[in-house]
């Protein structure tokens, strides 16, 4: 009996959480948007969420591109096909690694910070005092953070892919001696703007919505104690990483599965 | 940090993202070369197209003059019809031109090799929508091996 009771409780809890998250998302994003007033707040959050994540994105993008150049070369050179290094690096970055790794890094770097910040605002009753002053915390606090995450993550993913392709060039062409002309020209004939780049952007927009939503909601819904905030922060990283990896499979199957 | 510096930082960040997108679109996908200029269509019927795909290149002596737009099957005689889109810049090929399906390198992808025919008096030029009569199909490895074994048996 206890088992069934627990299952039922967890199910009801989960569904009410999804409901609360949807209500929060609706109130912050969809209902009554005030673009003129929220633009300065959004720019501040874009600085916190986007610009400050730039370093980790640049460094990891460069190194992932370099590692792919190195590993791809050692395999491809066996078949005399090292010229195909360009499309290999470019397609895997644009279709998969760019959006996915950016989303995972973003969840760890910016998502956890968002959760902790909003959770502490709740614990110190700043959100309640905003409501006391007739300021809607959904619009003043939550909406700018959601918009900033949704806008910046696709940009970070594009930067990640671009720097990764340059990293692959650095190792493959400058170090291992693949011909620079064929690195670029075979890449150009293999990569399509709509098929590859745009689908990667769509992917990262979906990931951006999911990760930022999870991060902001976990903070907004956290138990206002130090333990509750730490739990919410952990949940943000775990849930958003799982959601990104799961959604990535679904999106890949829809976009590239039927070729 | 004051808001002026922050706005500059965000502005730089957005321009960096735009630069990354432009680099991906122009340098990696090479969209600039492709979309420019007007094109016209030509059709060709093959017995067997092998591994030819939409977006494969059409080349004259190695120079890309167009792309394969689509591949379909003729409903009457069940042969593949390949629709080629050729840049307007390369027009006025003689009617006697031929196309064949070739492979770049040993394991490379297949492309359409376009062989301009001789033009002398009385030969028309290919007009948009024309069918190219002289076509050579792709080489299929199994057919080649079959022919080879067959000719060995004769000896």
């Amino acid at each position: 009996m206890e088992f069934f009771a627990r299952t039922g409780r967890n199910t009801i809890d989960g569904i009410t959480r999804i409901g609360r998250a949807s209500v929060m998302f609706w109130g912050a994003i969809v209902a009554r948007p005030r673009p003129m007033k929220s633009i300065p707040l959004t720019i501040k959050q874009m600085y916190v969420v986007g610009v400050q994540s730039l370093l980790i994105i640049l460094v990891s993008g460069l190194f992932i591109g370099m590692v792919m150049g190195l590993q791809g070369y050692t395999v491809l050179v066996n078949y005399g096909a090292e010229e195909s290094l360009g499309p290999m690096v470019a397609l895997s970055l644009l279709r998969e690694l760019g959006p996915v790794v950016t989303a995972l890094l973003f969840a760890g770097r910016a998502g956890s910070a968002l959760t902790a910040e909003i959770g502490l605002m709740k614990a110190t009753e700043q959100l309640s005092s905003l409501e006391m002053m007739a300021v809607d915390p959904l619009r003043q606090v939550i909406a700018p953070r959601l918009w900033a995450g949704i806008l910046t993550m696709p940009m970070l993913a594009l930067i990640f892919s671009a720097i990764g392709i340059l990293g692959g060039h650095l190792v493959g062409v400058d170090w291992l001696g693949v011909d620079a002309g064929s690195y670029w020209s075979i890449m150009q004939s293999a990569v399509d703007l709509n098929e590859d780049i745009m689908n990667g952007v769509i992917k990262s927009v979906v990931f951006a919505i999911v990760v930022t939503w999870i991060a902001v909601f976990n903070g907004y819904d956290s138990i206002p104690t130090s333990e509750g905030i730490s739990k919410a922060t952990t949940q943000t990283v775990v849930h958003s990483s799982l959601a990104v990896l799961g959604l990535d499979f679904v999106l890949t199957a829809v976009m590239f599965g039927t070729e | 940090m004051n808001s002026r510096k922050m706005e500059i930082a965000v502005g730089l960040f957005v321009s960096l993202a735009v630069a990354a997108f432009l680099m991906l679109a122009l340098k990696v996908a090479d969209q600039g070369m492709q979309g420019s200029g007007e094109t016209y269509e030509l059709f060709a019927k093959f017995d067997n197209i092998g591994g030819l795909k939409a977006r494969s290149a059409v080349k004259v002596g190695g120079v890309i003059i167009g792309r394969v737009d689509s591949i379909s099957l003729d409903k009457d005689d069940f042969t593949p019809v390949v629709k080629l889109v050729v840049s307007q810049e390369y027009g006025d090929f003689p009617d006697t031109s031929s196309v064949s399906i070739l492979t770049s390198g040993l394991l490379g992808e297949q492309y359409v090799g376009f062989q301009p025919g001789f033009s002398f008096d009385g030969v028309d030029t290919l007009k948009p929508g024309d069918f190219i009569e002289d076509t050579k199909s792709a080489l299929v490895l199994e057919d080649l091996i079959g022919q080879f074994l067959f000719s060995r048996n004769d000896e």
Side-chain angles (χ1 to χ4, degrees):
Chain A
M1 270 307 123
E2 179 54 31
F3 170 76
F4 292 112
R6 204 170 43 202
T7 315
R9 197 162 57 232
N10 287 341
T11 313
I12 293 168
D13 275 0
I15 292 172
T16 46
R17 271 175 73 82
I18 292 173
R20 283 203 301 273
S22 308
V23 167
M24 184 204 78
F25 194 75
W26 181 269
I29 296 271
V30 185
R32 299 167 300 167
R34 293 176 313 171
M36 290 324 290
K37 274 197 176 174
S38 49
I39 280 177
L41 290 171
T42 310
I43 286 181
K44 177 163 190 298
Q45 290 309 317
M46 279 175 78
Y47 178 77
V48 175
V49 166
V51 179
Q52 294 190 342
S53 308
L54 205 51
L55 185 68
I56 189 172
I57 292 292
L58 286 176
V59 171
S60 47
L62 184 68
F63 277 96
I64 284 180
M66 285 167 72
V67 166
M68 285 212 311
L70 196 57
Q71 292 284 20
Y73 181 82
T74 52
V75 174
L76 289 172
V77 78
N78 291 334
Y79 303 98
E82 66 269 24
E83 265 79 31
S84 300
L85 191 66
M88 195 206 90
V89 172
L91 286 181
S92 29
L93 276 169
L94 289 168
R95 288 182 172 186
E96 294 294 334
L97 288 173
V100 172
V101 177
T102 305
L104 294 178
L105 290 172
F106 188 88
R109 162 68 185 73
S112 57
L114 285 177
T115 308
E117 191 189 11
I118 297 174
L120 197 69
M121 279 185 181
K122 191 179 181 190
T124 51
E125 291 178 351
Q126 295 178 44
L127 295 184
S128 316
S129 19
L130 279 179
E131 267 180 88
M132 292 287 288
M133 295 185 284
V135 178
D136 185 359
L138 282 181
R139 290 205 271 173
Q140 187 72 17
V141 175
I142 305 295
R145 285 168 173 75
L146 276 172
W147 277 122
I150 293 168
L151 288 174
T152 50
M153 204 204 286
M155 298 187 200
L156 289 171
L158 283 172
I159 295 172
F160 185 97
S161 300
I163 200 95
I165 289 168
L166 292 178
H169 184 273
L170 190 71
V171 168
V173 175
D174 300 332
W175 181 16
L176 294 171
V178 175
D179 180 48
S182 47
Y183 183 86
W184 290 113
S185 69
I186 299 182
M187 186 193 296
Q188 283 163 2
S189 66
V191 177
D192 183 62
L193 182 69
N194 291 321
E195 186 76 5
D196 300 312
I197 298 181
M198 280 308 167
N199 273 346
V201 171
I202 292 171
K203 258 190 185 180
S204 62
V205 169
V206 174
F207 294 161
I209 293 172
V210 169
V211 169
T212 324
W213 188 6
I214 290 176
V216 169
F217 175 71
N218 268 322
Y220 189 68
D221 202 49
S222 63
I223 303 157
T225 57
S226 46
E227 201 189 357
I229 292 171
S230 93
K231 198 176 155 217
T233 315
T234 316
Q235 266 186 353
T236 293
V237 178
V238 173
H239 287 178
S240 47
S241 306
L242 291 178
V244 164
L245 294 171
L247 269 176
D248 181 50
F249 175 76
V250 176
L251 288 173
T252 304
V254 171
M255 288 170 175
F256 307 111
T258 54
E259 273 184 76
Chain B
M1 171 163 292
N2 64 38
S3 86
R4 173 101 186 124
K5 270 188 186 164
M6 205 164 60
E7 278 171 359
I8 292 171
V10 173
L12 286 175
F13 170 71
V14 174
S15 345
L16 188 65
V18 171
F21 179 76
L22 286 179
M23 178 204 143
L24 291 175
L26 297 177
K27 180 110 185 164
V28 176
D30 198 19
Q31 198 66 15
M33 301 277 286
Q34 213 174 41
S36 68
E38 303 199 336
T39 55
Y40 64 100
E41 293 161 2
L42 292 174
F43 295 89
K45 273 187 183 177
F46 293 92
D47 290 334
N48 190 331
I49 57 158
L52 197 72
K53 289 192 273 297
R55 279 184 37 77
S56 297
V58 179
K59 296 182 185 177
V60 175
V63 179
I64 297 178
I65 59 161
R67 301 216 165 261
V68 172
D69 186 66
S70 62
I71 298 168
S72 55
L73 198 64
D74 190 311
K75 291 217 171 53
D76 297 327
D77 54 4
F78 303 110
T79 49
V81 178
V82 176
K83 182 175 168 190
L84 310 172
V85 175
V86 180
S87 169
Q88 195 71 266
E89 181 182 350
Y90 308 104
D92 300 335
F93 287 111
D95 209 358
T96 50
S97 304
S98 66
V99 284
S100 41
I101 296 179
L102 305 170
T103 311
S104 57
L106 196 58
L107 300 165
E109 55 182 36
Q110 295 198 295
Y111 65 94
V112 176
F114 191 102
Q115 194 73 44
F118 293 108
S119 59
F120 40 85
D121 288 344
V123 173
D124 288 338
T125 53
L126 283 172
K127 284 173 208 61
D130 276 1
F131 271 85
I132 301 167
E133 302 296 333
D134 189 2
T135 63
K136 289 186 204 69
S137 292
L139 285 180
V140 180
L141 196 62
E142 286 82 352
D143 290 353
L144 273 184
I145 294 172
Q147 279 173 6
F148 176 70
L149 290 177
F150 193 71
S151 65
R152 294 269 299 192
N153 281 347
D154 281 352
E155 285 171 13

